[in-house]
């Protein structure tokens, strides 16, 4: 936790965390008991919380700020750590104490601590980003061996961007370079060994064909003996169009395609717990009065049932009955034809519901029945699943996840009628990106943007 060049940063964050915890303790005491000085028994809680938090920090390595910094991923890790902290704290009180501590006090402390910690983490991460943009910030040098499309992508997206605080010491390749890359060219492949022996680069990135295996081995040997970190971009990643990871099974490297965070049991529990809590709160505080009003308007403005149910494709290609408020007149084409602009089947109130996405609200019931999640790829009618699984490459990958009431594709604008195969391809790619990059913070971001869009924006594709 406290080592290397980030020791000062780690100590500062640790002191800040403890200060937030102590402040939350005293604020909760005042809120719960009207006094900043609670019963002395409660100070044992403060000591226990401090010990538990140290363990959680060490387990999750919370004070590591990666060079390639994605704020949402760091916050997601912090949120997971806070969840574990709360569970362990509650368990410790239940199993190891006989004193009846105030539940309101406990809830107030952990709520204040969680909220303040995340706020200060956000401020800290943006401070780190702003510091890295300064000219006098110490950047990490990197030398590059080889040149191909992936290396060019790394240069443009990582090593050339100031927020990641890298600079290219030199590029070694026998390939002729063009543009600004020529300024970084230090020589050919024969010159790399001498450079490693006579200079002190911090990191070397190698991307060469497998036929250079012996040469790569020799470079790694030299780098290891000169305290140079090595990164290798596999040559075969040039022709693989999807993400992969390599794990070792009995020292045998096994390539795994596609990262799926939701395969983790803890992530699934976190996502499902949030689905249940959020959905129940929505039912109690919103739907209890809103549903009767919408149902009455639907019945008064058109003939037919209040709800419309349709069989749609769910997780693992298992179909389920998806619920919506009926926004069209009763017709026989609903299972075959998408809604189009100025569709004569859509009722006047149905048009309003579709533009504001109110018609999707009954899917909260599907969420409670574990057929859907609040966030995920939108479910399609069975006919479209069968059509697009043939027309769109990797279309079925989106069904690895539970379908959602809203999704990443929808907030990017890929919703409504799919006029061309390209439209569906964009939607499927966005859904696959969500599956591979899921985090709890990403779900919160999608929900926030969805609610904001319902209240203040009108999507031109919603009709």
């Amino acid at each position: 936790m406290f080592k290397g060049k980030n020791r000062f940063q780690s100590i500062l964050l640790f002191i800040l965390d403890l200060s937030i915890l102590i402040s939350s303790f005293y604020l909760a005491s005042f809120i719960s008991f009207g006094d900043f000085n609670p019963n002395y028994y409660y100070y044992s809680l403060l000591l226990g919380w401090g010990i538990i938090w140290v363990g959680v920090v060490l387990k999750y390595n919370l004070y590591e700020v990666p060079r390639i910094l994605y704020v949402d991923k760091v916050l997601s890790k912090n949120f997971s750590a806070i969840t574990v902290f709360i569970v362990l704290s509650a368990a410790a009180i239940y199993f190891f104490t006989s004193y009846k501590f105030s539940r309101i006090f406990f809830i107030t402390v952990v709520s204040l601590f969680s909220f303040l910690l995340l706020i200060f983490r956000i401020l800290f991460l943006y401070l780190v980003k702003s510091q890295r943009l300064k000219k006098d910030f110490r950047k990490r040098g990197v030398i590059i061996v080889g040149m191909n499309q992936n290396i060019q992508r790394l240069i443009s997206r990582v090593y050339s961007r100031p927020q990641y605080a890298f600079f290219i010491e030199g590029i070694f390749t026998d390939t002729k370079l063009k543009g600004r890359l020529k300024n970084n060219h230090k020589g050919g492949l024969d010159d790399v060994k001498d450079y490693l022996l006579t200079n002190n680069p911090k990191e070397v990135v190698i991307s060469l064909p497998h036929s250079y295996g012996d040469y790569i081995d020799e470079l790694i040997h030299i780098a290891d003996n000169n305290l140079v970190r090595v990164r290798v971009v596999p040559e075969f990643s040039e022709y693989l169009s999807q993400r992969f990871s390599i794990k070792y099974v009995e020292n045998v490297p096994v390539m795994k395609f596609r990262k799926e965070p939701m395969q983790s049991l803890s992530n699934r529990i976190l996502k499902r717990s949030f689905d249940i809590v959020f959905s129940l709160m929505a039912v109690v505080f919103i739907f209890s009065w809103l549903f009767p009003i919408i149902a009455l308007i639907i019945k008064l403005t058109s003939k037919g049932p209040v709800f419309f149910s349709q069989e749609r494709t769910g997780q693992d290609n298992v179909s389920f009955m998806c619920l919506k408020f009926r926004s069209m007149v009763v017709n026989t084409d609903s299972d075959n034809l998408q809604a189009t602009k100025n569709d004569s089947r859509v009722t006047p109130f149905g048009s309003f519901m579709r533009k504001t996405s109110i018609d999707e609200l009954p899917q909260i019931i599907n969420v409670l029945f574990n057929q859907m999640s609040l966030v995920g790829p939108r479910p399609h009618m069975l006919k479209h699943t069968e059509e697009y699984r043939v027309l769109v490459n990797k279309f079925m990958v989106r069904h690895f996840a539970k379908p959602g009431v809203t999704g990443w594709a929808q907030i990017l604008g890929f919703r409504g009628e799919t006029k061309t195969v390209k439209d569906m391809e964009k939607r499927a790619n966005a859904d696959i990106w969500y599956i591979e990059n899921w985090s709890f913070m990403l779900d919160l971001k999608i929900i926030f943007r969805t609610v904001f869009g319902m209240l203040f924006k009108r999507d031109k594709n919603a009709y």
Side-chain angles (χ1 to χ4, degrees):
M1 184 168 71
F2 304 133
K3 63 182 181 179
K5 295 181 180 179
N6 292 323
R7 180 180 300 171
F8 175 75
Q9 173 183 289
S10 297
I11 293 174
L12 183 64
L13 285 173
F14 181 68
I15 293 172
L16 178 62
D17 286 358
L18 289 184
S19 300
I20 293 172
L21 181 59
I22 293 170
S23 300
S24 301
F25 178 84
Y26 284 110
L27 281 172
S29 175
F30 181 77
I31 293 170
S32 303
F33 311 122
D35 189 348
F36 284 111
N37 189 25
N39 189 301
Y40 73 94
Y41 284 109
Y42 281 82
Y43 286 95
S44 63
L45 286 181
L46 185 59
L47 176 62
W49 278 326
I51 294 171
I52 291 173
W53 185 246
V54 169
V56 170
V57 166
L58 292 172
K59 169 65 177 176
Y60 283 88
N61 198 15
L62 291 187
Y63 299 151
E64 177 193 15
V65 180
R67 179 72 57 160
I68 302 175
L69 176 60
Y70 298 104
V71 173
D72 60 331
K73 291 185 178 180
V74 176
L75 289 180
S76 180
K77 183 168 72 169
N78 276 268
F79 190 91
S80 297
I82 290 171
T83 302
V84 171
F85 169 75
I86 294 172
V87 171
L88 290 178
S89 300
I93 292 173
Y94 181 80
F95 288 109
F96 301 114
T97 67
S98 57
Y99 186 81
K100 300 298 183 182
F101 294 101
S102 167
R103 294 178 183 177
I104 295 176
F105 175 80
F106 175 82
I107 293 171
T108 306
V109 171
V110 297
S111 298
L112 285 171
F113 178 66
S114 303
F115 175 75
L116 292 174
L117 186 78
L118 290 175
I119 292 297
F120 278 99
R121 279 291 190 276
I122 292 171
L123 294 175
F124 170 74
L125 292 174
Y126 279 102
L127 176 64
V128 168
K129 278 195 166 185
S130 64
Q131 288 296 314
R132 289 178 176 179
L133 294 174
K134 293 183 178 179
K135 291 184 178 180
D136 59 347
F137 185 83
R138 187 175 181 181
K139 294 178 169 52
R140 179 184 296 175
V142 58
I143 68 168
I144 295 171
V145 180
M147 183 56 60
N148 53 44
Q149 289 183 1
N150 278 335
I151 289 295
Q152 290 176 5
R153 195 176 297 121
L154 277 175
I155 291 173
S156 64
R157 297 183 182 180
V158 177
Y159 298 131
S160 297
R161 293 189 176 182
Q163 64 264 37
Y164 298 135
F166 285 103
F167 75 93
I168 300 174
E169 287 188 35
I171 299 174
F172 294 85
T173 178
D174 295 333
T175 303
K176 186 175 181 180
L177 300 179
K178 299 178 181 179
R180 286 184 293 180
L181 292 181
K182 289 192 296 185
N183 299 329
N184 300 112
H185 190 240
K186 289 289 181 70
L189 297 180
D190 294 336
D191 302 312
V192 181
K193 299 173 189 176
D194 289 338
Y195 189 90
L196 289 175
L197 292 170
T198 57
N199 293 273
N200 189 32
K202 297 298 181 185
E203 186 172 315
V204 56
V205 178
I206 305 171
S207 187
L208 294 169
H210 68 276
S211 56
Y212 284 78
D214 292 339
Y215 175 79
I216 295 172
D217 260 350
E218 191 175 355
L219 289 186
I220 292 173
H221 176 76
I222 295 172
D224 285 345
N225 287 311
N226 288 274
L227 292 178
V228 180
R229 287 186 169 84
V230 180
R231 305 283 185 266
V232 176
V233 180
E235 178 262 349
F236 55 75
S237 64
E238 278 284 295
Y239 53 80
L240 289 177
S241 60
Q242 64 190 80
R243 291 186 177 189
F244 62 87
S245 60
I246 296 176
K247 292 187 177 182
Y248 284 83
V249 179
E250 294 294 333
N251 290 326
V252 177
V254 178
M255 191 185 305
K256 177 185 177 183
F257 291 97
R258 189 164 294 104
K259 176 186 174 185
E260 292 182 67
M262 282 183 282
Q263 283 193 326
S264 162
L265 178 61
S266 59
N267 286 341
R268 292 201 305 273
I269 291 174
L270 176 62
K271 186 173 176 64
R272 181 61 185 155
S273 299
F274 180 73
D275 282 347
I276 293 172
V277 172
F278 188 96
S279 299
L280 287 175
M281 289 178 64
V283 168
V284 172
F285 295 108
I286 299 177
F287 296 170
S288 56
W289 59 268
L290 182 61
F291 267 38
I293 296 173
I294 295 175
L296 181 62
I297 296 175
I298 291 173
K299 293 298 289 184
L300 292 175
T301 56
S302 64
K303 295 180 180 180
V306 170
F307 295 104
F308 168 73
S309 62
Q310 184 179 63
E311 195 172 9
R312 296 198 177 185
T313 310
Q315 187 177 20
D316 298 327
N317 204 28
V318 177
S319 62
F320 69 102
M321 297 306 296
C322 182
L323 295 175
K324 298 179 68 173
F325 281 125
R326 182 175 57 82
S327 58
M328 293 183 175
V329 295
V330 177
N331 65 91
T332 57
D333 296 322
S334 56
D335 290 333
N336 300 302
L337 297 178
Q338 286 183 306
T340 57
K341 195 169 184 178
N342 300 320
D343 197 316
S344 60
R345 297 175 296 166
V346 178
T347 66
F349 183 63
S351 177
F352 167 77
M353 288 196 296
R354 297 176 79 93
K355 288 178 180 178
T356 56
S357 298
I358 289 177
D359 62 320
E360 310 286 359
L361 291 180
Q363 287 160 31
I364 292 294
I365 298 171
N366 291 117
V367 174
L368 291 173
F369 286 162
N370 202 24
Q371 297 164 328
M372 295 180 67
S373 178
L374 289 170
V375 182
R378 288 291 296 149
H380 291 154
M381 63 178 72
L382 302 186
K383 178 176 182 291
H384 283 164
T385 300
E386 293 306 312
E387 286 180 358
Y388 287 112
R389 71 184 303 169
V390 177
L391 298 173
V392 176
N393 186 34
K394 302 177 186 177
F395 178 80
M396 294 305 293
V397 171
R398 63 195 300 279
H399 299 99
F400 280 144
K402 206 178 295 180
V405 179
T406 185
W408 181 243
Q410 281 61 50
I411 67 169
L412 292 180
F414 305 137
R415 59 168 296 182
E417 182 186 7
T418 48
K419 298 178 181 178
T420 65
V421 173
K422 193 70 176 178
D423 291 337
M424 185 59 79
E425 185 178 313
K426 291 178 180 178
R427 182 183 295 184
N429 288 338
D431 289 334
I432 294 170
W433 183 92
Y434 168 79
I435 292 171
E436 295 177 344
N437 293 274
W438 177 89
S439 70
F440 183 74
M441 295 304 297
L442 179 60
D443 272 5
L444 291 183
K445 175 181 178 180
I446 292 170
I447 290 172
F448 174 80
R449 288 183 58 174
T450 299
V451 173
F452 181 84
M454 289 175 66
L455 297 176
F456 303 109
K457 294 175 68 177
R458 293 293 176 267
D459 194 326
K460 63 180 182 180
N461 293 324
Y463 45 78

